[in-house]
Amino acid sequence: EKGNYRHFMQKEIYEQPTVVAQTLNSYVRQADESVALPQIDFDLSAIKRITIVACGTSFYAGMVAKYWFETFARVPVDIDVASEFRYREPVLEEGGLAIFISQSGETADTLAALRHCKENGQTIATVVNVPTSSMAREADLILPTHAGPEIGVASTKAFTCQLAVLAALAAHLAVAKGKMNRAEEQEVVRHLIEAPAALNAALDHDDDIAAMAPLIAPARDVLYLGRGPDYPLALEGALKLKEISYIHAEGYASGEMKHGPIALIDEEVPVIVLAPSGPLFEKTVSNMEEVRARGGQVVLISDAKGLAEAGDGCIATIEMPDVHPLIAPLVYAVPVQLLAYHVAVVKGTDVDQPRNLAKSVTVE
Ligand code: F6R
């Protein structure tokens, strides 16, 4: 079943261009470059507030989506990890849409949060990879990811497919609310359908990432930095590394470094910086300089332009294709997945079945 791949995780990372294209097929119409969601039988334009609840990697997809819902549709978004959500007595007003993101559709905390929102009058949407799951059955709107079965315990292809669905939903909501005109919708769709090719271009750098994995494998701690919609990718990179290589890793918003974590920096701590060139690039580079000035060992993940500007002095660089900011979070998922994967292979851990973890967490 693994074909030519050594692990399911590796196979699933490589499936991403195909499965993201498959997912997009159900959410965009190429012919007229429009967003095309499943039949929605409630009034989307009446949505006043969005609550997003999920766990782990699915939660990070939700963090990226918050940027999209707020920038495209100008609808305020609250986001929580499911285990915290119910117990903080969230204020759930009428006219709210609650979105639950889950690969398995069975995660106990997320399911309990869904039921809580339902009891409190929210319209329920679920982004799930298992269409027969409990979360799918209890939703008003099911938005399936078409990633196919994910076997590796560490989530990879489900994440990029979740992002594809959420981007389409955000654009659709923006159109429904009159915040996005036809030309802007077409532009979003054009960028989304560039994602599979861009994911392939990212995968082309697998050998470079494998070659640098031995630099990271001996580390005890690793930091990941990102800004804006790439901040959740820093969190995701750190989670992947922790899960399968057992190296302590933390993701931080680049600008937050100087408020504490910079105290950890020395020659022993690799710092992985995710920074596509664009409006936030210069700011991230200055955070990177603060790290380097303290002896930090920086790995810069950026496009050719970003690497030309700031790649000198890094212990390694990983080149990504030059992509529109909308699809950058999908594309930058690839190098952080591959880095965790190759570091785990160097360390000889059980990549597909990491210790203490289960694929589906059905207890609270
Ligand atoms: C990370 C990972 C977990 C899951 C989390 C939620 O690689 O696999 O953090 O993302 O347990 O699972 P689902 O998406 O099934 O609700």
Side-chain angles (χ1 to χ4, degrees):
E1 263 202 77
K2 277 179 277 200
N4 294 326
Y5 296 100
R6 213 171 135 189
H7 298 98
F8 281 108
M9 182 185 180
Q10 185 189 29
K11 173 171 177 263
E12 290 161 0
I13 291 171
Y14 270 84
E15 278 171 356
Q16 291 179 110
T18 310
V19 295
V20 166
Q22 212 162 278
T23 297
L24 284 170
N25 265 335
S26 304
Y27 292 91
V28 301
R29 244 191 332 259
Q30 301 217 15
D32 60 353
E33 294 177 327
S34 65
V35 181
L37 259 67
Q39 186 66 39
I40 299 183
D41 48 17
F42 54 88
D43 181 11
L44 209 54
S45 69
I47 299 297
K48 291 200 201 69
R49 176 172 281 280
I50 294 175
T51 302
I52 301 179
V53 184
C55 302
T57 291
S58 298
F59 173 72
Y60 299 143
M63 282 182 76
V64 175
K66 175 181 161 86
Y67 287 89
W68 294 334
F69 286 120
E70 296 191 335
T71 52
F72 293 162
R74 307 301 296 151
V75 175
V77 176
D78 252 352
I79 173 161
D80 252 308
V81 290
S83 55
E84 286 296 317
F85 177 72
R86 280 184 305 151
Y87 304 107
R88 72 170 169 85
E89 305 204 24
V91 180
L92 297 164
E93 287 162 29
E94 222 178 293
L97 174 69
I99 305 175
F100 302 86
I101 309 167
S102 177
Q103 188 285 127
S104 61
E106 300 296 346
T107 302
D109 284 316
T110 311
L111 185 58
L114 183 159
R115 289 173 178 157
H116 182 82
C117 284
K118 206 170 186 176
E119 282 158 18
N120 286 274
Q122 304 297 290
T123 300
I124 309 295
T126 55
V127 178
V128 287
N129 198 39
V130 181
T132 52
S133 59
S134 307
M135 277 182 230
R137 283 199 305 271
E138 299 188 25
D140 299 304
L141 173 64
I142 309 171
L143 300 167
T145 45
H146 300 287
E150 193 180 62
I151 311 292
V153 163
S155 186
T156 53
K157 62 177 181 171
F159 176 70
T160 40
C161 288
Q162 287 165 349
L163 291 177
V165 170
L166 290 161
L169 178 63
H172 192 69
L173 182 65
V175 170
K177 293 194 84 74
K179 303 285 183 197
M180 185 179 274
N181 64 32
R182 185 73 185 103
E184 290 162 337
E185 179 186 4
Q186 288 177 312
E187 204 194 319
V188 163
V189 171
R190 273 198 295 276
H191 293 310
L192 283 177
I193 59 189
E194 284 162 9
L199 290 165
N200 265 318
L203 286 165
D204 283 343
H205 293 274
D206 193 7
D207 289 345
D208 307 335
I209 299 169
M212 60 164 283
L215 295 174
I216 308 298
R220 206 187 58 174
D221 310 284
V222 176
L223 289 180
Y224 286 76
L225 303 182
R227 260 182 196 268
D230 300 298
Y231 163 45
L233 268 294
L235 298 171
E236 169 62 2
L239 179 64
K240 286 284 99 84
L241 192 72
K242 276 184 260 209
E243 282 186 298
I244 61 169
S245 77
Y246 314 141
I247 295 174
H248 167 242
E250 280 192 69
Y252 258 94
S254 315
E256 191 64 13
M257 271 297 282
K258 54 180 157 309
H259 299 287
I262 201 155
L264 298 172
I265 299 298
D266 63 18
E267 302 73 30
E268 312 279 292
V269 183
V271 180
I272 319 284
V273 179
L274 302 165
S277 62
L280 301 176
F281 185 74
E282 293 308 326
K283 293 216 176 283
T284 303
V285 169
S286 70
N287 303 135
M288 198 175 106
E289 294 309 332
E290 292 159 7
V291 168
R292 277 224 298 251
R294 288 154 185 88
Q297 309 285 301
V298 174
V299 174
L300 177 60
I301 308 182
S302 185
D303 43 46
K305 186 161 169 260
L307 295 183
E309 239 177 85
D312 286 348
C314 294
I315 55 162
T317 59
I318 304 173
E319 188 180 328
M320 289 293 102
D322 181 14
V323 293
H324 188 269
L326 173 65
I327 62 167
L330 283 86
V331 173
Y332 282 66
V334 171
V336 299
Q337 293 164 350
L338 285 173
L339 184 60
Y341 174 75
H342 288 296
V343 170
V345 168
V346 169
K347 297 196 75 171
T349 58
D350 187 345
V351 171
D352 286 331
Q353 294 284 336
R355 70 186 180 202
N356 308 343
L357 294 173
K359 184 65 187 161
S360 183
V361 184
T362 52
V363 287
E364 281 189 43

